[in-house]
Amino acid sequence: AFSRAGIKRPDILILDTVLASHDAVTRSRTRARLQQLLPKTTMIFLEEKFENPQAYDLYIEIKNGRIDGETDADDVDDAATGSDDLRHKIREISRTELFSELDARSQRLLAFAAQWYKVPAGKQIFSMGDRADAVYLCLKGRAMMSYVDDFGDRREITAVEPGRLIGDLAVILDEPRQLDLIAEQDSKFLRIGADQFHSVIESDPQVLMILLKTVGSHLSGAAGLLREARVDVRQAAEEHEAELERLRTEAASQNEQ
């Protein structure tokens, strides 16, 4: 069976209780060898019990014929089960003001689609121009939305703190990221893939309405800040363009000299 799989190089390889009579070291060595031989193959291992779930990219527990929850391998410990992890995610989502009014079914859908995502201070979570592949719900810590202007200076836009969902508008519009997101502190997020997030929105319009209200409030807040600062956007843009033209002229003059 291994030989046929190696020859065919399938996209997906399901291994149902293979090497059940072998010890953990032999099984681990076999998995590593298979990954080398089939680097582009998604391998799914079915077992009655996993002694080391942290050795896999993703661990899913099935009880009574139903998927009871899923976790990132880094978040699985010896005492936790899939159902424990799923309840933990639901609890975090229900505590968030943005999703607190959702019904239990929608909260469970979001929790099931979410994965824990921990980042150390200073790590860039996503960059301007990246494909919008996920949304991030901040649970702990602090991150900053910012960008680097034409003069090489980093401009901070808004802080992302616990309870805030970020990246949702880019996912909904299917557009590249407009800003960088960088962790200022050790932070923890729930990361929900774009496809799963779309599925939740499509299955429950209430989620979309809540997101639209949130985006609307952010836009209203931005408009208020512009009014308070008495910023003339058109004038600022013209001054910015004039400064760029001045720098281009200076550069051209230096090249000629």
Side-chain angles (χ1 to χ4, degrees):
F2 283 135
S3 299
R4 288 197 296 271
I7 294 171
K8 293 183 177 180
R9 296 187 177 275
D11 293 327
I12 297 175
L13 177 62
I14 300 175
L15 301 107
D16 188 1
T17 58
V18 298
L19 303 176
S21 61
H22 292 256
D23 58 40
V25 175
T26 302
R27 297 169 74 164
S28 177
R29 188 164 55 240
T30 302
R31 283 198 309 272
R33 184 61 178 151
L34 281 172
Q35 289 170 346
Q36 293 175 1
L37 292 172
L38 307 171
K40 296 183 179 181
T41 297
T42 298
M43 286 180 280
I44 301 173
F45 294 86
L46 305 179
E47 299 284 351
E48 292 291 333
K49 182 181 180 182
F50 287 86
E51 298 295 339
N52 55 341
Q54 70 277 2
Y56 300 84
D57 295 326
L58 186 67
Y59 172 77
I60 297 176
E61 184 175 7
I62 298 177
K63 288 185 177 180
N64 300 321
R66 296 177 56 216
I67 295 178
D68 203 39
E70 65 179 81
T71 70
D72 274 334
D74 291 342
D75 293 298
V76 177
D77 57 44
D78 293 338
T81 66
S83 56
D84 292 334
D85 186 79
L86 184 61
R87 282 193 293 269
H88 186 190
K89 291 175 182 175
I90 293 173
R91 186 163 60 249
E92 293 287 359
I93 287 172
S94 63
R95 289 175 179 172
T96 304
E97 182 178 357
L98 178 63
F99 298 126
S100 60
E101 298 180 5
L102 294 180
D103 58 33
R105 175 180 174 275
S106 295
Q107 289 180 352
R108 185 178 178 86
L109 284 172
L110 283 171
F112 187 75
Q115 295 180 342
W116 303 111
Y117 187 78
K118 297 179 182 179
V119 291
K123 179 176 179 179
Q124 189 154 326
I125 300 166
F126 58 72
S127 304
M128 182 188 300
D130 284 353
R131 184 175 67 87
D133 59 349
V135 301
Y136 296 84
L137 176 62
C138 184
L139 303 177
K140 187 175 78 171
R142 175 187 169 95
M144 180 63 66
M145 299 288 291
S146 62
Y147 71 98
V148 177
D149 64 19
D150 295 328
F151 306 107
D153 298 322
R154 182 163 290 281
R155 303 292 184 180
E156 296 183 347
I157 302 299
T158 182
V160 178
E161 296 179 321
R164 181 163 180 188
L165 185 74
I166 202 71
D168 49 313
L169 189 58
V171 168
I172 292 172
L173 297 177
D174 193 21
E175 293 182 346
R177 305 288 189 189
Q178 299 299 310
L179 296 168
D180 301 330
L181 180 61
I182 302 173
E184 291 190 330
Q185 304 172 358
D186 291 346
S187 303
K188 184 177 182 181
F189 294 83
L190 274 178
R191 183 185 186 278
I192 305 173
D195 292 339
Q196 294 89 339
F197 188 66
H198 274 297
S199 297
V200 172
I201 292 175
E202 292 168 359
S203 65
D204 192 340
Q206 185 183 2
V207 180
L208 184 57
M209 289 303 299
I210 291 174
L211 292 173
L212 289 175
K213 289 179 181 178
T214 303
V215 171
S217 67
H218 290 160
L219 291 175
S220 297
L225 290 174
L226 289 174
R227 285 195 301 270
E228 291 177 7
R230 297 181 179 180
V231 174
D232 187 329
V233 177
R234 180 175 179 180
Q235 180 182 352
E238 291 175 349
E239 292 175 353
H240 181 70
E241 184 60 33
E243 180 65 14
L244 284 177
E245 185 60 33
R246 183 184 68 80
L247 292 173
R248 294 192 194 99
T249 302
E250 290 182 358
S253 176
Q254 291 176 359
N255 288 335
E256 291 176 358
Q257 293 176 0

